[in-house]
Amino acid sequence: MKRIGVLTSGGDAPGMNAAIRSVTRTAIYNGFEMIGFRRGYEGLLEGDVVPLSVSSVGGIIHRGGTILRTARCERFTKPEGVREGLQRLREYDIDALIVIGGDGSFRGAYELHKLGYPVVGIPGTIDNDMAGTDCTIGFDTACNTALQCIEKLRDTASSHERLFLVEVMGRHAGFLAIEAAVAAGAEFVLIPERKFDLDLLCKKLRYARERGKNHSLIIVAEGVMPASELSAQLKDTGGYDARITVLGHIQRGGSPSSFDAVLASRLGGGAIDALVRGEFGVMVGRTTGRITTSPIQIAWEQTKSLDEDMLSLVDILGI
Ligand code: ADP
């Protein structure tokens, strides 16, 4: 193995640059050449390559986004697209590919692996919804970003004695919502994994008001319903007049937290180590503090379980 490729794909996440830097420098340290593909699988198919050197990945560890940029590529989801990608990798003499992204991006990598091509996945998504790792790159930063915004909202919510609804990202997973709710001391959290009971929520809000709470914060993951719809339902059912904030894409941006910069650096190194050991078709992860590898398909075949204790904590602490 002489030359290794790397790409970032799907949703971006803070810390992806730190992972690119680590992959590149660890590869060069081990005597490999590094090539980056811009714009995920789209760039792979189009041969949009950029050589990566020790210095070209300098000054990026703290930068949000991804210098390689990212994209979604419909063409790559078809068998012809994957075959074409494989052909491109061979044309550029690339012996293995590292894919930084979420479970969709890993599915693409797995298709290459099934054709006998060496791949390793690095989990990067703010959703943290991937098995095979306790945390994905970008999750911690996104939680901190959400927390900073929610703290500001709480100030005004308490001054004006208001009910605030904050919509956070998470179409299918509530990890970010739960983490932000516990950290911000929110009264309620609604997540896609749990059926939502409007009557129960209204009852809890009434109870909170009777006990003298002058403001409340509800964190709702976008996958449950848009905050605007929830607000309308609360108005119709309980007469509540909630203010809405949708945090949106700011949760994806910003410099990685120290946790994410370290995680990305460790996983980047771990990905090259896996290739050196001849472990292909795997994802690297951080499991109870250690860098581990698992078959890449674990990312979508296994559902990462929610921490029930964290969910109860929101209820207990929000009384
Ligand atoms: P994420 O990696 O953040 O989960 P997506 O689900 O959008 O993001 O996936 C990113 C890209 O990965 C897709 O645009 C597509 O190119 C590729 N991909 C996703 N699923 C598959 C699949 N089943 N086969 C091949 N490629 C896939």
Side-chain angles (χ1 to χ4, degrees):
M1 195 177 295
K2 270 175 54 190
R3 186 181 279 180
I4 300 170
V6 61
L7 57 80
T8 49
S9 163
D12 64 339
M16 280 185 164
N17 280 327
I20 294 168
R21 170 181 178 271
S22 174
V23 160
T24 301
R25 292 199 173 163
T26 312
I28 292 170
Y29 178 86
N30 280 281
F32 302 117
E33 274 175 49
M34 273 313 290
I35 299 285
F37 287 98
R38 291 197 193 91
R39 295 180 298 110
Y41 294 117
E42 190 73 36
L44 169 63
L45 294 182
E46 287 174 12
D48 189 356
V49 292
V50 51
L52 296 172
S53 64
V54 169
S55 57
S56 71
V57 296
I60 65 167
I61 189 169
H62 61 287
R63 278 170 55 189
T66 155
I67 57 159
L68 291 177
R69 295 184 233 149
T70 183
R72 296 202 156 86
C73 176
E74 181 60 31
R75 217 161 21 125
F76 201 75
T77 60
K78 313 275 187 310
E80 315 81 73
V82 178
R83 275 197 298 272
E84 216 180 304
L86 185 59
Q87 209 177 316
R88 243 357 65 78
L89 287 161
R90 301 239 194 268
E91 274 166 30
Y92 285 99
D93 266 336
I94 295 172
D95 305 305
L97 181 69
I98 292 179
V99 172
I100 305 171
D103 65 314
S105 303
F106 280 17
R107 281 172 204 252
Y110 183 57
E111 292 305 317
L112 285 169
H113 170 69
K114 284 199 291 186
L115 297 178
Y117 191 81
V119 295
V120 173
I122 300 181
T125 161
I126 65 161
D127 292 334
N128 201 28
D129 57 345
M130 295 167 83
T133 186
D134 291 341
C135 31
T136 55
I137 296 169
F139 174 64
D140 182 68
T141 309
C143 290
N144 281 297
T145 302
L147 177 61
Q148 284 166 13
C149 298
I150 296 166
E151 277 169 356
K152 291 184 169 73
L153 289 170
R154 194 181 262 295
D155 288 345
T156 168
S158 101
S159 305
H160 288 273
E161 307 189 355
R162 275 185 180 141
L163 170 62
F164 260 91
L165 275 181
V166 182
E167 181 186 309
V168 299
M169 280 190 165
R171 260 177 287 163
H172 307 288
F175 294 99
L176 178 54
I178 297 175
E179 197 86 2
V182 172
E187 278 71 20
F188 310 98
V189 62
L190 309 183
I191 55 168
E193 295 92 332
R194 291 284 177 278
K195 209 171 167 329
F196 157 61
D197 184 338
L198 180 65
D199 290 330
L200 182 65
L201 179 59
C202 286
K203 208 162 116 189
K204 285 181 169 177
L205 282 169
R206 233 181 353 262
Y207 179 60
R209 198 179 273 176
E210 280 161 17
R211 280 191 349 276
K213 274 210 165 184
N214 72 356
H215 68 280
S216 289
L217 261 176
I218 303 177
I219 311 289
V220 55
E222 64 183 329
V224 176
M225 69 175 80
S228 54
E229 195 179 317
L230 178 60
S231 164
Q233 290 189 14
L234 284 170
K235 179 122 192 148
D236 290 347
T237 309
Y240 293 102
D241 187 17
R243 294 291 192 275
I244 300 167
T245 302
V246 179
L247 295 187
H249 281 81
I250 55 166
Q251 294 161 99
R252 289 251 195 99
S255 298
S257 62
S258 105
F259 182 89
D260 274 331
V262 171
L263 177 67
S265 300
R266 291 184 74 192
L267 293 182
I272 298 294
D273 291 347
L275 286 179
V276 169
R277 288 194 302 269
E279 272 189 71
F280 308 137
V282 295
M283 65 172 278
V284 285
R286 177 186 181 275
T287 315
T288 53
R290 300 195 34 223
I291 301 304
T292 51
T293 52
S294 321
I296 199 162
Q297 54 286 31
I298 198 175
W300 65 92
E301 284 182 359
Q302 258 186 40
T303 306
K304 185 184 226 164
S305 45
L306 280 178
D307 189 338
E308 296 293 336
D309 291 346
M310 285 282 279
L311 255 183
S312 333
L313 209 51
V314 179
D315 273 343
I316 296 167
L317 302 182
I319 50 171

